[in-house]
Amino acid sequence: MGIYVIRVPDIGEGIAEVELVAWHVALGENVKEDQPVADVMTDKATVEIPCHVHGKVIALGAAVGQMISVGAELIRLEVEGEGNVKEDAAAAASAPAAAPAAPTATATQTVAVTAQAEVKSEVKPSENPVKPAEKAPKKESNPATRPAARAPVAQARKEGERPLASPSVRRRALDMGVDLRLVHGSGPAGQISHADLEAFAAGQGPVLGGNPQYVERHGEEAIPVIGLRRKIAQKMQEAKRRIPHFSYVEEVDVTELEQLRQQLNKIHGATRGKLTLLPFLARAMVLALRQFPQINARYDDDAGVVTRFEAVHLGVAAQTDGGLMVPVLRHAESLDLWASAAGIARVAEGAKTGKLGRDELTGSTITLTSLGALGGIVSTPVINHPEVAIVGVNRMVERPMLKNGQVVARQLMNLSSSFDHRVVDGMDAAQFIQAIRALLETPALLFVD
């Protein structure tokens, strides 16, 4: 038997370290060649690390959430033959035990599950039984996260029997919705104290009418900020720290645009695909940016250089299970409505499934963000650093509007956009949004270059 070590590969682009975001294997597991063993994340993408050989996992090099240097040991396997490490299997197997081993994925998951179980419910007696000769060591935990011991189960007092309690305890029990007849009193003659009431409530005992909404709850859950969520946090912090944001909000009448969209879908939807509002917005931004090239730019504030782009590489903010990502629709200026719609759908789906390449996750020059039906009335989107502008789309609603002296129902929608005030003046930002508004309110202009 031999030892085979898989190291963190050189992912390129000068990356010196990566974050371990997921293990796909556990200690003692047999793995096959080309089987994924771990996911690591760089500043730009998540990369899947495959196994190179058949073997058995005997050591994991890091815990989920840790940073690992390129070239560092990621996983150690026991394999048939010599392997790629000049040491015997016994020495290799014992080495991790001598040093403080990083928690494995299984261990990490176990801790998380245990923590959640402590918060949400008590462990059933049949789960994880401990033999009398192998008593588990007593674990100390934060009292705030440990459920209070359930008060002794008390039989309901007889009809008309009044439990002993002070007026303040009775008032508090009424506020909490707790039936004092069911609370065990630890005081003289069974008198109920505030501590008895708290213990009963923490134990999730019966409440008046079976309604638990007034029962105090003391559970806590600590969630490590790792992987994509950590990248999002760092990106947002960097953007707000570096960029002096200012926002501009404008209302747009999209009645004609919505009618055009529905008509185009009716005629071409079956053959060309359905159109949402986003490809119309993308086209309007492309046309408006021709007048305002300073907005289609990236600002390297360390070097003091603003780079303006003729190409519009449109970032499209997409919500995924892991958090917000901004895949890139490259050369949006060269796409018609249906090509834009297909491209937006493709990169959004790729972001959700994690199947986009690096070139589709980097290099955007301006970003379009929308929460769809959840868009609200106004938002203040955060600029995708190092860009200098982001256009946000709010919810479309039908409201009464005065038009040509008549009150009519119109489809209205707000654009909430943010700009880097170091690069974009307020007047230019306002004119840019007004140019987009004019294109959307007269959609025929979208087809005229």
Side-chain angles (χ1 to χ4, degrees):
M1 303 295 287
I3 300 300
Y4 192 95
V5 170
I6 298 175
R7 300 185 181 276
V8 178
D10 183 358
I11 299 173
E13 301 184 12
I15 294 171
E17 64 177 6
V18 297
E19 180 183 357
L20 178 65
V21 294
W23 280 115
H24 298 304
V25 296
L27 282 175
E29 183 177 339
N30 291 316
V31 296
K32 299 178 180 179
E33 186 176 359
D34 295 329
Q35 177 181 340
V37 295
D39 289 344
V40 298
M41 177 176 284
T42 70
D43 288 338
K44 300 178 179 179
T46 299
V47 180
E48 190 176 75
I49 307 298
C51 186
H52 307 148
V53 295
H54 290 65
K56 179 180 179 181
V57 179
I58 59 174
L60 302 177
V64 170
Q66 287 186 339
M67 303 300 295
I68 319 173
S69 299
V70 170
E73 181 175 320
L74 178 67
I75 190 170
R76 184 173 288 241
L77 306 170
E78 185 180 63
V79 298
E80 296 287 344
E82 295 184 0
N84 65 353
V85 176
K86 300 297 182 182
E87 58 180 317
D88 59 88
S94 62
T104 65
T106 303
T108 304
Q109 294 166 0
T110 302
V111 170
V113 171
T114 302
Q116 293 174 10
E118 289 182 348
V119 171
K120 296 178 180 178
S121 63
E122 295 184 0
V123 177
K124 296 179 181 179
S126 60
E127 297 176 353
N128 301 325
V130 179
K131 298 178 180 179
E134 299 175 354
K135 291 185 178 180
K138 183 178 181 181
K139 296 192 295 182
E140 295 295 330
S141 61
N142 189 330
T145 61
R146 184 176 64 247
R150 184 182 291 276
V153 178
Q155 299 294 328
R157 290 175 172 82
K158 297 178 180 179
E159 184 70 26
E161 184 179 352
R162 180 179 175 85
L164 293 176
S166 67
S168 63
V169 171
R170 294 185 186 280
R171 184 165 54 251
R172 188 176 181 191
L174 182 63
D175 291 340
M176 295 169 63
V178 174
D179 187 346
L180 283 179
R181 293 178 304 164
L182 302 175
V183 180
H184 173 79
S186 60
Q191 183 172 2
I192 300 169
S193 66
H194 284 283
D196 296 330
L197 188 60
E198 291 172 359
F200 180 84
Q204 299 296 300
V207 295
L208 290 175
N211 189 343
Q213 63 177 320
Y214 297 112
V215 175
E216 290 186 1
R217 302 182 186 277
H218 302 279
E220 295 180 2
E221 182 180 4
I223 302 175
V225 180
I226 62 174
L228 179 59
R229 180 51 58 186
R230 177 190 286 176
K231 296 298 180 186
I232 293 171
Q234 293 172 343
K235 189 79 172 177
M236 293 298 100
Q237 178 176 307
E238 186 75 355
K240 294 297 285 187
R241 183 180 70 84
R242 285 180 174 264
I243 302 174
H245 287 61
F246 79 93
S247 295
Y248 181 85
V249 181
E250 180 58 283
E251 185 179 69
V252 182
D253 184 347
V254 292
T255 306
E256 277 76 21
L257 179 66
E258 180 62 10
Q259 290 174 353
L260 173 62
R261 186 186 71 84
Q262 293 179 7
Q263 188 70 11
L264 289 174
N265 283 338
K266 183 178 179 180
I267 298 172
H268 300 293
T271 55
R272 299 187 185 183
K274 296 289 186 178
L275 295 173
T276 66
L277 280 177
L278 291 184
F280 292 94
L281 285 158
R283 185 60 185 167
M285 290 173 64
V286 164
L287 295 177
L289 286 170
R290 294 178 183 177
Q291 304 175 51
F292 302 93
Q294 69 272 36
I295 295 176
N296 188 42
R298 294 164 67 91
Y299 182 27
D300 184 344
D301 47 1
D302 290 327
V305 176
V306 176
T307 303
R308 297 181 178 181
F309 298 87
E310 291 184 0
V312 179
H313 300 315
L314 184 65
V316 183
Q319 188 65 40
T320 71
D321 291 340
L324 185 67
M325 297 183 67
V326 187
V328 183
L329 180 65
R330 305 194 79 83
H331 290 287
E333 78 281 359
S334 67
L335 306 176
D336 65 14
L337 288 177
W338 286 275
S340 291
I344 291 171
R346 179 181 57 80
V347 297
E349 181 62 25
K352 293 177 182 179
T353 58
K355 294 182 179 179
L356 293 180
R358 292 194 197 101
D359 62 330
E360 293 176 306
L361 290 170
T362 59
S364 56
T365 57
I366 189 171
T367 293
L368 172 63
T369 181
S370 170
L371 287 175
L374 300 176
I377 300 173
V378 173
S379 57
T380 54
V382 177
I383 296 170
N384 186 22
H385 178 268
E387 298 166 24
V388 301
I390 182 171
V391 176
V393 184
N394 297 117
R395 183 177 66 246
M396 182 174 64
V397 295
E398 186 177 51
R399 294 206 304 268
M401 183 179 180
L402 191 65
K403 190 174 181 68
N404 298 324
Q406 300 293 323
V407 176
V408 294
R410 305 292 289 179
Q411 295 284 345
L412 301 175
M413 179 183 74
N414 286 352
L415 294 181
S416 298
S417 305
S418 296
F419 302 88
D420 186 337
H421 218 330
R422 298 170 301 176
V423 178
V424 183
D425 294 333
M427 178 65 73
D428 292 336
Q431 290 178 343
F432 171 65
I433 295 301
Q434 291 300 331
I436 294 177
R437 175 189 177 187
L439 291 164
L440 297 177
E441 292 189 340
T442 310
L445 297 176
L446 295 172
F447 304 93
V448 179
D449 286 335

